[in-house]
Amino acid sequence: MIYFDNAATTRPDGDCLELAAQYLKDKFYNPSALYAEGYNLHLELEEARKSILSHIADPDGYELVITSCGTEADNQAVFCGGKRGNIVSTYGEHSAVFEAVQEAGRRGVEARFAALNPDGSINIQSLLDLVDAKTSLVSVIHVNNETGAINDINAIAAMVKAKNPRTLFHSDGVQAFGKIPFFLSDNVDMYSLSAHKIGGAKGTGALIKRKKLVLQPYIWGGGQEKGLRSGTENVFGIKLLELAAQKSYGKIEENFKDISAVNALLWKLLDKDLFTRISPECGSPYILTVAARGVRGETILHMCDDEGLIIGTGSACSSNSTKRHSRIMQACGLKDELIDGVLRLSFSKESTIQEAERAAKILNEVVMTDREHTK
């Protein structure tokens, strides 16, 4: 079986799981408890936070708020950061941001959305035109989860701050953390990430925020996470995130190069009479989105599954949507004859050249077969 739907979720890293298992079996204590075992776990968690942060931000200037997932981190940024005036985001956001901004609009904070370029990257001028003196928050995705387009969030944040220094800047970094080499600039106020996209476990995410940024709590209760997100800490999930991040960042440049080769070979081997590329050449190598003309992506997905290839048709979080076509694909201006056949192939550091060769063969055969049957 070839698994090329890693943008939806990755296989938990076996080595990291083995190391983190002690926090389920032996070190199961409550880190907020006063006894020694609990306090020692608290100290371990503080070191884990610093370790996770150190890969992309200065621990002296930023802190980590642990959440249950990337969606919760995005929601906390939107609802706690955009409380007045207007919120500016984009049509290319993950639903965790897009739907949250729309809900903020229904609660009285004006929601504004910037246009996309054809490859799914943000149209920067469109974004800046929407920012004004009343903009409380701007949220721009780092790596588009459907096309892999990379937005230069450090540069965009600087442009936003130049127009309104009081505006907070947030980025959903779920598809970038552990995959794309970068370091947050001081202009980025908040940044979301998720553990299960890099070999961690589902149920753990985080919101990185500037230490000096004052936010209201999102979940109330016992006051964990310095009062910003109550609930007993998921020690196993946090430690697994720390270990998975260490492993990913330990070889991030090497992984980037290797996956770029996998991506390039797969695209090279796909029949250009059948497939049109949507992902930009300069996008994340971890995502290759194509459109197969004359077929339905959902049909091809199931046919590929029967042949031992697991792929996606877009964001897994949108699979329950009643809308037929992807909002992001429509915002990219994809033509009607292509939008039905969108397929997303997404990779992990475990993906191989051999898998790419086999996947291309399956895709070419499946799409050709389906087209012949529907003539």
Side-chain angles (χ1 to χ4, degrees):
M1 187 266 286
I2 300 171
Y3 181 70
F4 277 177
D5 196 25
N6 290 278
T9 194
T10 58
R11 183 199 309 273
D13 186 278
D15 294 336
C16 296
L17 269 177
E18 187 175 347
L19 290 171
Q22 61 181 304
Y23 296 94
L24 287 176
K25 298 185 292 185
D26 300 319
K27 297 184 178 183
F28 56 85
Y29 310 103
N30 189 328
S32 295
L34 297 178
Y35 45 78
E37 291 82 359
Y39 182 69
N40 289 336
L41 271 186
H42 166 76
L43 295 179
E44 286 196 56
L45 287 187
E46 291 306 299
E47 290 304 311
R49 295 174 198 277
K50 292 178 183 178
S51 174
I52 296 166
L53 270 173
S54 67
H55 299 299
I56 64 166
D58 181 359
D60 291 333
Y62 287 85
E63 58 189 356
L64 204 70
V65 180
I66 297 297
T67 65
S68 65
C69 57
T71 292
E72 184 189 326
D74 285 339
N75 273 241
Q76 181 160 16
V78 170
F79 291 117
C80 298
K83 300 178 74 69
R84 58 177 174 75
N86 62 74
I87 299 174
V88 175
S89 192
T90 85
Y91 285 110
E93 299 304 303
H94 187 279
S95 295
V97 169
F98 187 81
E99 297 295 337
V101 173
Q102 285 195 313
E103 176 60 25
R106 290 187 284 269
R107 298 181 186 185
V109 179
E110 184 185 356
R112 301 175 175 180
F113 296 98
L116 302 184
N117 297 317
D119 63 5
S121 61
I122 178 63
N123 185 305
I124 296 176
Q125 191 57 56
S126 174
L127 181 85
L128 294 177
D129 287 344
L130 297 175
V131 177
D132 60 25
K134 294 183 178 180
T135 303
S136 57
L137 176 72
V138 170
S139 185
V140 176
I141 198 167
H142 193 172
V143 171
N144 186 289
N145 56 291
E146 292 195 26
T147 73
I150 301 173
N151 292 307
D152 187 347
I153 58 168
N154 285 340
I156 296 171
M159 290 182 240
V160 168
K161 297 283 187 178
K163 192 164 185 182
N164 184 346
R166 296 186 303 277
T167 297
L168 298 180
F169 188 91
H170 164 257
S171 181
D172 177 331
V174 167
Q175 296 294 345
F177 183 79
K179 301 175 181 180
I180 307 298
F182 74 98
F183 204 78
L184 294 179
S185 74
D186 294 340
N187 290 312
V188 178
D189 300 289
M190 294 176 286
Y191 190 85
S192 304
L193 58 93
S194 178
H196 74 100
K197 306 295 187 178
I198 60 165
K202 301 174 188 68
T204 306
L207 178 66
I208 295 174
K209 62 174 284 290
R210 287 193 299 105
K211 283 184 176 180
K212 293 182 179 180
L213 175 61
V214 178
L215 291 179
Q216 292 297 311
Y218 184 61
I219 294 179
W220 297 79
Q224 290 87 349
E225 302 302 312
K226 297 183 179 179
L228 290 176
R229 201 277 183 185
S230 293
T232 301
E233 297 91 340
N234 177 4
V235 180
F236 165 76
I238 298 168
K239 289 298 295 185
L240 184 53
L241 169 58
E242 177 194 14
L243 293 167
Q246 287 175 347
K247 191 167 186 178
S248 294
Y249 279 97
K251 290 186 175 181
I252 192 166
E253 298 283 355
E254 180 180 337
N255 291 338
F256 191 94
K257 180 180 179 181
D258 290 345
I259 297 306
S260 294
V262 171
N263 184 310
L265 179 63
L266 180 50
W267 171 241
K268 178 182 178 181
L269 295 177
L270 287 179
D271 188 336
K272 306 307 184 294
D273 290 331
L274 301 176
F275 295 95
T276 297
R277 184 183 182 115
I278 298 171
S279 294
E281 296 282 354
C282 59
S284 167
Y286 287 85
I287 295 176
L288 173 62
T289 302
V290 298
R293 291 183 290 277
V295 300
R296 290 197 63 189
E298 185 177 347
T299 300
I300 300 304
L301 179 151
H302 292 302
M303 293 176 68
C304 285
D305 197 4
D306 291 340
E307 297 297 323
L309 170 63
I310 297 177
I311 58 175
T313 56
S315 173
C317 296
S318 298
S319 62
N320 294 321
S321 173
T322 57
K323 297 179 181 179
R324 178 179 175 184
H325 293 142
S326 160
R327 159 179 50 83
I328 292 176
M329 291 298 105
Q330 289 177 319
C332 290
L334 201 63
K335 296 179 180 178
D336 290 344
E337 61 265 28
L338 293 176
I339 201 166
D340 273 340
V342 172
L343 301 168
R344 183 184 69 178
L345 300 102
S346 51
F347 316 107
S348 77
K349 59 181 181 293
E350 298 177 349
S351 301
T352 67
I353 290 292
Q354 292 74 24
E355 288 178 326
E357 292 173 338
R358 176 61 182 156
K361 185 174 186 296
I362 292 173
L363 281 163
N364 287 334
E365 292 176 351
V366 162
V367 172
M368 179 61 74
T369 298
D370 188 67
R371 286 182 64 176
E372 290 176 350
H373 285 170
T374 55
K375 283 183 179 179

